[in-house]
Amino acid sequence: MDALIQQIAEAYEAFKTDAALQQEKNNKAAGTRARKASLELEKLMKEFRKASLEAAKA
């Protein structure tokens, strides 16, 4: 689960950086990368939820 949390943190940092570039500098490519990172975050969060529920059952 630690590795999963680390992946979530890395994906969020990538999203945060690219979203800021899109907002501040109107960088369209950064917006595309931010949207891609948000999809990856969604996938990782679903994995975290499953792992968290399994850990709670144990």
Side-chain angles (χ1 to χ4, degrees):
M1 186 126 115
D2 290 337
L4 181 58
I5 292 171
Q6 181 63 32
Q7 285 180 318
I8 291 170
E10 290 171 4
Y12 179 73
E13 283 302 315
F15 166 77
K16 190 169 84 169
T17 300
D18 289 329
L21 282 173
Q22 180 189 19
Q23 184 178 27
E24 294 168 5
K25 297 185 180 180
N26 200 22
N27 185 329
K28 292 180 182 180
T32 301
R33 290 190 304 268
R35 288 189 296 277
K36 184 177 177 184
S38 72
L39 292 174
E40 180 66 20
L41 271 170
E42 179 184 22
K43 184 182 110 184
L44 291 170
M45 290 300 213
K46 286 180 181 181
E47 287 180 36
F48 174 78
R49 185 174 187 278
K50 288 178 188 176
S52 178
L53 287 172
E54 285 297 317
K57 289 180 184 179

